[in-house]
Amino acid sequence: DRERVEKTPGTHDDPLRLIQSLPGVSMTPEYSPTAGSLSIRGALPGESRVLFDGVELPYLYHFQQYASVIHTRMLDRLSVYPSGFGVTYGESIGGVVAVSSRSPDPERVHGGMNINAIMAGGYVQAPAGDSGLSASGRRSFMDAFESGNDQYTLWPAFWDYLGRYEWSGPAGGRVAVTSIGAGDVYGRYAGDTEALDQVEQSENPEVVYDRGFHGLIAQHSLTRGRLATESVVGLVRDDWTVGLSTADQSRVEQALTLRNSSAITLWKEHSLHLGAETRLEWLDRQAATDRSWPELTLEAPLLARGVAVDERLSTALVGTWVEPRLVFGDLRLQPGLRLSGDTGTGEWVPEPRLIGRA
């Protein structure tokens, strides 16, 4: 939970460092295109799902400065499932990281500012009648002092923001609207400057990497007696561009998520969870190049393979599930069944799953 993240030594007030200290999670290089990515149970970076308030985000951590895109004070819970996650989360090659944002304080105004050698930012929370407001923003500032060096032609910079409005109604109802966004940009030479001679260096082009996303999430939750329901609508847009003097790659992905889940308390600690979700995706990607650039494998996979592409794709992913959660002393059982459909393949696939923990 948030208190543990804040008080665990060595995390530098960042939940990423706490996650990467857990068993089964590997660290990635700090100053590289995969910096901040998670490698869970041997899966490649990017093969684990990242969920924020039930909506999948393109990435949870900045690529260059080893900081998460969420201010710690805006965090409520951070869950990591390296294996054994239920049918609620669907399929994932690696693991699942589920982040829940914090409800604004409905009684008092408070906030704070923080600054270190890399970035500066702050947060504020305030009541507004029966509602609550909270906001945070951060930005790196080293690019104000360094324009470039032998490694970077454009000094790495990043930013992020998060805003939340929450209204608590009668009979246990709650409505929340959250906006979140982050961005990263840097420039470097395509080849390793130390491994090239003067002639090769003169032909070593500059690569500019620029990626950012924006998301808007609306939630409605209601608890009445033994029934708790939550509905989520989320729209996320991810812009990813990589440019050279003679080649470029761009990728724009938009995803609309509709999700409804319910939990019914049967008796004591036994409960029944069921729900459904739909994810609509629109992808527009382009790549123009006359050769392959293996130096850009992580930043621009299409340019790395020398593939020229101009395509627009759309697909719909649908899933519905049911999962009893049973508790017998120290033994917990989760037998679940998920039915998933994909307009890309036109198939419906049953996914049974059984999880046990003692």
Side-chain angles (χ1 to χ4, degrees):
D1 55 27
R2 174 173 45 84
E3 183 177 359
R4 183 181 176 190
V5 171
E6 292 176 357
K7 295 184 178 181
T8 300
T11 63
H12 298 280
D13 203 26
D14 196 305
L16 172 64
R17 298 182 184 272
L18 180 58
I19 291 179
Q20 293 197 331
S21 67
L22 298 177
V25 182
S26 300
M27 298 181 67
T28 54
E30 184 165 349
Y31 287 90
S32 75
T34 60
S37 298
L38 293 174
S39 178
I40 301 178
R41 291 290 175 90
L44 294 175
E47 291 184 340
S48 296
R49 297 188 67 194
V50 175
L51 301 176
F52 177 78
D53 287 343
V55 176
E56 192 160 0
L57 295 183
Y59 58 94
L60 188 57
Y61 307 105
H62 293 294
F63 286 81
Q64 289 301 321
Q65 304 295 348
Y66 227 170
S68 66
V69 301
I70 302 173
H71 196 293
T72 305
R73 298 300 188 276
M74 307 294 285
L75 172 73
D76 184 41
R77 294 190 63 85
L78 181 63
S79 303
V80 182
Y81 302 92
S83 61
F85 45 88
V87 293
T88 301
Y89 296 109
E91 291 291 344
S92 176
I93 297 177
V96 172
V97 178
V99 183
S100 299
S101 57
R102 178 184 180 183
S103 297
D105 192 328
E107 298 181 355
R108 65 190 181 98
V109 178
H110 65 99
M113 299 184 65
N114 60 289
I115 185 170
N116 56 32
I118 296 174
M119 64 180 178
Y123 77 100
V124 63
Q125 300 190 45
D130 295 332
S131 309
L133 299 169
S134 60
S136 69
R138 299 182 300 180
R139 193 193 188 283
S140 63
F141 54 79
M142 290 302 297
D143 58 309
F145 306 99
E146 289 280 354
S147 58
N149 56 20
D150 291 341
Q151 181 180 5
Y152 291 106
T153 58
L154 178 63
W155 194 260
F158 70 87
W159 52 266
D160 59 60
Y161 69 87
L162 193 151
R164 182 179 176 92
Y165 167 82
E166 184 171 315
W167 173 77
S168 297
R174 180 176 63 90
V175 176
V177 178
T178 305
S179 62
I180 183 173
D184 298 82
V185 60
Y186 65 87
R188 69 173 181 88
Y189 290 110
D192 185 355
T193 57
E194 296 184 356
L196 303 178
D197 57 33
Q198 292 183 352
V199 176
E200 293 172 326
Q201 182 59 45
S202 64
E203 299 178 355
N204 193 11
E206 177 187 1
V207 181
V208 177
Y209 174 96
D210 190 352
R211 187 179 187 184
F213 73 87
H214 300 274
L216 183 65
I217 304 171
Q219 300 169 273
H220 175 264
S221 61
L222 178 64
T223 301
R224 286 186 176 177
R226 296 187 175 187
L227 175 64
T229 63
E230 182 181 49
S231 300
V232 177
V233 179
L235 179 62
V236 178
R237 177 186 173 94
D238 179 24
D239 288 275
W240 182 348
T241 62
V242 178
L244 295 87
S245 57
T246 59
D248 63 83
Q249 174 183 313
S250 66
R251 174 189 174 101
V252 178
E253 183 174 3
Q254 301 179 85
L256 175 64
T257 300
L258 308 172
R259 179 185 179 91
N260 180 267
S261 59
S262 300
I264 305 171
T265 301
L266 301 176
W267 72 94
K268 294 184 179 180
E269 297 183 68
H270 305 295
S271 60
L272 178 65
H273 295 249
L274 62 161
E277 67 177 341
T278 300
R279 179 179 169 90
L280 307 176
E281 299 179 348
W282 298 270
L283 175 64
D284 183 353
R285 61 178 182 177
Q286 301 177 6
T289 182
D290 56 1
R291 51 156 289 190
S292 61
W293 297 88
E295 306 93 337
L296 307 180
T297 300
L298 297 174
E299 292 134 309
L302 295 176
L303 297 185
R305 299 196 302 268
V307 178
V309 171
D310 185 0
E311 62 181 4
R312 292 161 183 81
L313 306 172
S314 61
T315 186
L317 307 174
V318 181
T320 181
W321 66 86
V322 58
E323 181 182 67
R325 299 184 183 181
L326 311 174
V327 180
F328 304 97
D330 294 333
L331 177 63
R332 298 175 178 267
L333 294 177
Q334 289 181 222
L337 175 64
R338 184 184 180 98
L339 187 62
S340 297
D342 183 348
T343 58
T345 61
E347 297 181 350
W348 286 87
V349 180
E351 302 172 5
R353 199 170 302 172
L354 174 61
I355 300 172
R357 180 187 300 172

